Amino acid sequence: MRTGYPTDLTESEWALVQPFVPPPTGAGAPRTVNFRSVLNSILYLNRTGCQWRMLPNDLGTPWQTVYAYFATWKRNGTWTRLNAALAAQVRVAEGRPDPTPSATCIDSQSVKGTECTESPGYDGGKKIQGRKRHILTDTLGLLLVVVVTAANVDDGAAAATVLGRLDPGVYSRVRAVFADQKYHNHAFEAWLSGHRPGVRLEISSRPPGATTFQPLRVRWVVERTFAWIGRCRRNSKDYERTESSSEAMVQVSSIRLMLRRLNKCA
């Protein structure tokens, strides 16, 4: 008898996720897949860092089926829509007056790749061969956008791509982007002027003469988000072959985090 894993969805968490499961298309044989089992399997892999082929049999769904749905939901935007919807719900549950933010934080993290990594790069500053995760969060640290590139891509050069994925219709309240000195980039500032004229770039710097780590005003929350994402062992390196799969795996980590926060608020 299966007793369950700590990563399994509770009844209340499944109720939050179920509306985002794509409905049957009506073509072919009737659907027999248990989507709760599929999600439990993906969350288990994300947290433990195991290979797809090493998923426990008692999770109830063959690994091939689990991976197929992970890839399908990556392509059709299910992970992105679910992440955005949960972020809005967490903001409301935690007392924020609006489900969308007026201020955001941006930063990047370089991580080692593996022999499977397609198109890796070398980050000379961090001495890392692999990929770079660029994320945009609100001031609660909730993930809004993730973009994965080769590690040699400059933060300022990637920033326009990150902000470009933030739907201006949905996130019309955004007025500020907090960043560090790496984003003091003329091309990025010109892009903001042309594409997001109502958004200002706020550069946070360490106090003059500081030689040790000091949390910077507002922007420290994005560093905490990287720490949250790092709790999931699948993110200890970039184990995914493609950049889109890497982005989806970060979104899965964010979804797990927000489900737990909503569970506590209930």
Side-chain angles (χ1 to χ4, degrees):
M1 178 74 69
R2 182 175 184 272
T3 57
Y5 294 99
T7 51
D8 286 353
L9 294 169
T10 65
E11 291 294 335
S12 60
E13 290 169 349
W14 171 239
L16 291 169
V17 172
Q18 191 173 15
F20 294 89
V21 174
T25 61
R31 179 185 284 171
T32 60
V33 175
N34 183 332
F35 280 132
R36 187 169 178 176
S37 169
V38 171
L39 283 163
N40 284 339
S41 300
I42 293 171
L43 292 171
Y44 177 93
L45 178 140
N46 178 259
R47 181 67 178 188
T48 64
C50 73
Q51 297 96 325
W52 291 102
R53 290 173 176 79
M54 298 294 287
L55 282 170
N57 292 329
D58 63 354
L59 281 165
T61 305
W63 74 265
Q64 297 93 332
T65 303
V66 175
Y67 176 76
Y69 277 106
F70 169 79
T72 299
W73 295 342
K74 171 188 69 175
R75 290 192 296 268
N76 65 21
T78 297
W79 297 124
T80 300
R81 290 190 296 273
L82 178 55
N83 187 87
L86 292 178
Q89 291 182 47
V90 171
R91 287 182 60 84
V92 172
E94 298 192 359
R96 291 302 170 113
D98 198 281
T100 59
S102 60
T104 60
C105 307
I106 190 171
D107 203 359
S108 69
Q109 177 190 56
S110 296
V111 292
K112 292 181 179 179
T114 69
E115 69 278 4
C116 298
T117 302
E118 290 183 355
S119 305
Y122 183 72
D123 183 342
K126 300 294 178 60
K127 305 294 190 294
I128 288 177
Q129 176 78 15
R131 288 197 175 125
K132 186 177 286 188
R133 298 168 183 150
H134 309 263
I135 67 171
L136 185 75
T137 73
D138 68 1
T139 52
L140 291 177
L142 304 177
L143 182 72
L144 302 177
V145 177
V146 56
V147 173
V148 175
T149 66
N152 61 327
V153 174
D154 181 71
D155 293 356
T161 302
V162 178
L163 267 294
R165 292 196 188 180
L166 194 69
D167 187 340
V170 176
Y171 295 95
S172 58
R173 295 183 66 248
V174 174
R175 292 293 178 267
V177 178
F178 289 88
D180 61 18
Q181 287 289 347
K182 295 177 292 185
Y183 293 90
H184 189 51
N185 180 290
H186 294 300
F188 177 44
E189 292 172 358
W191 183 90
L192 281 176
S193 299
H195 295 82
R196 301 290 191 274
V199 179
R200 69 183 186 277
L201 182 63
E202 296 278 354
I203 300 297
S204 301
S205 304
R206 290 195 304 173
T211 58
T212 59
F213 171 77
Q214 294 187 15
L216 302 180
R217 185 175 67 91
V218 180
R219 204 189 64 80
W220 66 270
V221 298
V222 72
E223 302 286 357
R224 184 181 59 182
T225 302
F226 278 126
W228 287 339
I229 292 170
R231 292 175 183 172
C232 299
R233 292 191 178 185
R234 188 76 181 188
N235 298 324
S236 61
K237 285 185 178 182
D238 194 322
Y239 291 102
E240 315 310 318
R241 184 178 298 275
T242 65
E243 292 173 353
S244 59
S245 289
S246 298
E247 293 168 2
M249 201 57 73
V250 171
Q251 289 174 325
V252 170
S253 301
S254 172
I255 289 165
R256 170 77 276 180
L257 169 71
M258 290 190 288
L259 286 172
R260 287 294 165 89
R261 288 175 75 158
L262 287 170
N263 211 13
K264 290 179 180 179
C265 293

